Amino acid sequence: MFGIQDEISRAIVDTLKLKLSREQSGGPVDANTQDLAVYNLYLRGRFHVNQRTADALRKAIEHFDQATIAAPSYAPAYAGLADAYCLLSIHAPIPPRSLMPKAKAAALKAVSLDDSLGLAHASLGFIHATYDWEWQNAEREFVRALELNPGDADARHWYAIDVLTPQERLDEALVELTRAVRLDPLSRSINTSLGGLYHDRREYQKAIDQYQTTIDLEPNFYFSYWNLGRTYEQLGQFDRAMQACQTALSLAPHSYLALTQMARCHAATGNPDEARRILRQLDQLGQKMFVPSTAPALIHFSLGENDRAFELMFAACDERPVWLIWSKVSPTYDAVRSDPRFSALLERLGL
């Protein structure tokens, strides 16, 4: 794919006898880069971002870094770098506080270089929502991004799940996410998020069908299996839930998401000892890598130990994992919504 891209780009330049200069603009390659190789680095970075795995996202950061070094004024590379850092905070066991400031710096740099770049505003909106919890600022940036580039599937995707869904604007989110799927029907992440939205809407069979569609597209994406597991849990189909999470663990052996879901299923099926064993396993894992406090909190909730669970949830507010922003809509918390501490949690999140 990249070889073809190079060949086409060079053929166009040779045929038209274009001399790239700082005064020229237009086309997919920023004239300021002076080199089609920079655009190739950018494309490689985007390719790896779309894989949504920790290893791929690290490779994306390498490519975007190389692009910014070679062309310091190339705004899309900074937007890509911001996205890679943001997504790495979700798909890798790394504290968000060590990644998201880097993401924000890159996004602000992209906007300062080119305020008309929709990608940059979408990146900034993602950060305002998932890390800053500044909901009005997040919405403003996404609206601006979509005004500049209505065909940006990722911007519609993130606007739907990171701004509209957390605020319980689920009908609006469904409209935007459905559009995103139409724009990029083969995206594993967008298709999985559509299943997640159905999950939050309590349309569990639709969620399961959507996850299966995603798995058909990409059978090795652990995230889809974890989502499938948590939906089966809501239906009380614990054997299927554990089977899905076991598949997720086979693809991502240190996934605290899948381990947490397994523990919750054990607690629900009258096996609290196994749930506590996984709690200890998460504690040991947390000594080697970042495990957000939301993970043990969810297990304590399933064991009926709400005092400890809320203590951990408020500790998570200082860690800022992305999982907190869906607290208002997630069925996982239905049993504790009447607890005053849950209202306090939502207030802390600005929700």
Side-chain angles (χ1 to χ4, degrees):
M1 181 178 72
F2 298 121
I4 293 172
Q5 171 67 45
D6 284 346
E7 185 178 345
I8 293 173
S9 298
R10 295 182 194 285
I12 292 172
V13 172
D14 290 343
T15 301
L16 299 180
K17 306 295 184 185
L18 290 179
K19 180 180 179 182
L20 297 178
S21 68
R22 289 188 178 277
E23 290 75 27
Q24 290 175 311
S25 62
V29 185
D30 189 322
N32 292 338
T33 64
Q34 297 287 338
D35 192 347
L36 291 172
V38 172
Y39 185 55
N40 197 26
L41 285 169
Y42 172 75
L43 286 181
R44 289 177 181 272
R46 282 293 174 191
F47 172 80
H48 288 300
V49 162
N50 288 334
Q51 305 310 302
R52 298 299 201 270
T53 66
D55 288 343
L57 289 163
R58 290 187 180 95
K59 290 178 183 177
I61 289 170
E62 291 177 8
H63 289 304
F64 290 134
D65 270 336
Q66 291 172 30
T68 60
I69 292 169
S73 61
Y74 188 45
Y78 290 98
L81 190 61
D83 294 346
Y85 277 125
C86 288
L87 293 167
L88 191 63
S89 76
I90 297 173
H91 294 283
I94 302 173
R97 286 192 177 278
S98 70
L99 294 173
M100 295 302 280
K102 296 178 182 179
K104 193 169 188 176
L108 289 171
K109 178 71 172 179
V111 171
S112 70
L113 287 170
D114 186 355
D115 187 56
S116 67
L117 183 65
L119 292 170
H121 289 282
S123 301
L124 199 53
F126 186 104
I127 296 160
H128 283 322
T130 62
Y131 186 72
D132 296 333
W133 306 336
E134 296 175 357
W135 304 104
Q136 290 183 346
N137 289 338
E139 180 145 18
R140 183 188 67 245
E141 293 296 337
F142 277 116
V143 169
R144 177 65 173 150
L146 291 170
E147 286 174 349
L148 292 166
N149 187 5
D152 186 342
D154 280 333
R156 291 198 181 277
H157 171 207
W158 294 339
Y159 180 41
I161 65 167
D162 296 330
V163 176
L164 298 175
T165 299
Q167 297 181 80
E168 221 169 10
R169 295 159 61 183
L170 300 183
D171 289 342
E172 295 173 73
L174 184 59
V175 170
E176 292 295 340
L177 202 46
T178 302
R179 288 175 179 169
V181 170
R182 285 204 299 266
L183 287 166
D184 192 355
L186 300 182
S187 168
R188 67 182 78 181
S189 58
I190 297 176
N191 275 284
T192 299
S193 289
L194 180 57
L197 179 57
Y198 284 132
H199 174 96
D200 291 337
R201 290 169 64 91
R202 279 66 172 172
E203 299 177 59
Y204 297 125
Q205 190 55 55
K206 285 186 178 181
I208 289 169
D209 292 343
Q210 184 61 36
Y211 295 139
Q212 293 291 0
T213 296
T214 310
I215 289 168
D216 288 342
L217 285 172
E218 176 48 75
N220 294 320
F221 189 38
Y222 83 98
F223 210 53
S224 298
Y225 293 100
W226 164 67
N227 274 284
L228 184 61
R230 70 191 184 103
T231 301
Y232 276 131
E233 181 206 354
Q234 291 301 319
L235 290 172
Q237 298 179 24
F238 300 110
D239 288 344
R240 288 184 173 182
M242 286 192 277
Q243 182 179 2
C245 289
Q246 196 61 57
T247 302
L249 285 169
S250 70
L251 296 167
H254 299 302
S255 171
Y256 59 79
L257 296 171
L259 286 169
T260 299
Q261 200 60 50
M262 291 282 284
R264 287 178 57 83
C265 288
H266 284 301
T269 53
N271 193 359
D273 290 342
E274 183 61 19
R276 295 187 191 284
R277 185 195 66 78
I278 295 177
L279 264 176
R280 293 191 296 272
Q281 184 178 352
L282 285 174
D283 183 61
Q284 293 170 358
L285 193 62
Q287 296 173 22
K288 302 175 183 177
M289 59 188 66
F290 174 69
V291 175
S293 294
T294 48
L298 291 179
I299 300 174
H300 283 291
F301 275 132
S302 69
L303 291 167
E305 299 166 355
N306 291 354
D307 290 346
R308 179 56 178 156
F310 275 115
E311 182 182 340
L312 288 165
M313 290 296 288
F314 282 103
C317 289
D318 294 326
E319 300 166 353
R320 302 223 162 208
V322 69
W323 317 111
L324 283 170
I325 70 171
W326 297 293
S327 300
K328 188 174 183 177
V329 295
S330 174
T332 303
Y333 302 105
D334 284 352
V336 296
R337 291 191 186 281
S338 60
D339 192 306
R341 290 170 293 186
F342 189 76
S343 298
L345 177 67
L346 295 183
E347 185 176 356
R348 180 81 176 271
L349 295 167
L351 294 169

